[in-house]
Amino acid sequence: LEHKYRYDIVGHSGETHWLPLVSAGQPPRNRKERLAVVSSMVEHAARASSGDNTLAAGIRGMKELVMEEADDYFLFLISDANLQGYGVSAEELASALTGDLRVHAHAIFIAEPAAAEQMKASMPAGRAHMVMDTSSLPLLFKNIFSRALLEGQFASKL
């Protein structure tokens, strides 16, 4: 699969909008390497100052994603949904995630149920998702990919 799929995993926090965790073409190959990625995330989260760089991460992610030619582009922006507390509106986030029609960009809100529901309601249909139980994330990703395939927007054959 490595020859067919390339991905980056980049974090964001109150301290930074761009925290590279996994580089394209260099996925973690075993449990030890996967644990190192997760440990890096936990360590950063434990020491990061409060704040929100979700919007900046989304904007940069959209630009970085299309720099290399690909059949399809997907961006998954995961946030706690407390963006309005930092002056970010759902409209601003929606604009950032819909600025390039080649990209299937989705906001996934994993905390703050009331804020997540409000953000989701203000975003374009099918572009925002609320997940209170992270064990449902794999099914969400499957549904997003399946919908893209069924809509005929998914150019590559799986």
Side-chain angles (χ1 to χ4, degrees):
L1 292 176
E2 291 172 26
H3 70 284
K4 190 167 184 166
Y5 302 102
R6 290 177 49 95
Y7 63 89
D8 290 309
I9 299 176
V10 179
H12 64 91
S13 68
E15 283 189 9
T16 183
H17 72 284
W18 204 254
L19 177 67
L21 298 166
V22 175
S23 298
Q26 300 174 359
R29 301 196 185 284
N30 54 49
R31 289 182 130 188
K32 181 178 179 183
E33 291 178 7
R34 288 190 292 274
L35 178 60
V37 171
V38 172
S39 296
S40 176
M41 293 168 59
V42 170
E43 179 183 325
H44 180 79
R47 63 177 171 74
S49 59
S50 64
D52 194 284
N53 279 296
T54 303
L55 181 60
I59 291 168
R60 182 164 175 188
M62 292 289 285
K63 290 177 184 174
E64 295 273 339
L65 189 59
V66 297
M67 289 179 73
E68 290 189 36
E69 188 64 33
D71 292 335
D72 301 293
Y73 302 98
F74 286 87
L75 182 132
F76 300 103
L77 184 63
I78 300 174
S79 174
D80 66 3
N82 190 23
L83 289 94
Q84 291 178 328
Y86 295 97
V88 177
S89 71
E91 292 76 18
E92 288 174 300
L93 186 60
S95 177
L97 297 182
T98 58
D100 190 324
L101 298 178
R102 297 173 293 174
V103 180
H104 301 276
H106 297 266
I108 301 171
F109 302 116
I110 59 169
E112 306 287 340
E117 199 58 57
Q118 185 177 11
M119 291 295 286
K120 182 180 173 190
S122 301
M123 300 274 295
R127 294 292 189 121
H129 313 274
M130 189 169 77
V131 176
M132 295 300 113
D133 178 3
T134 56
S135 69
S136 65
L137 279 170
L139 180 60
L140 174 62
F141 289 128
K142 178 184 176 190
N143 290 340
I144 290 170
F145 290 128
S146 295
R147 188 169 69 210
L149 180 64
L150 292 173
E151 290 175 351
Q153 298 174 351
F154 198 75
S156 65
K157 295 179 176 74
L158 295 177

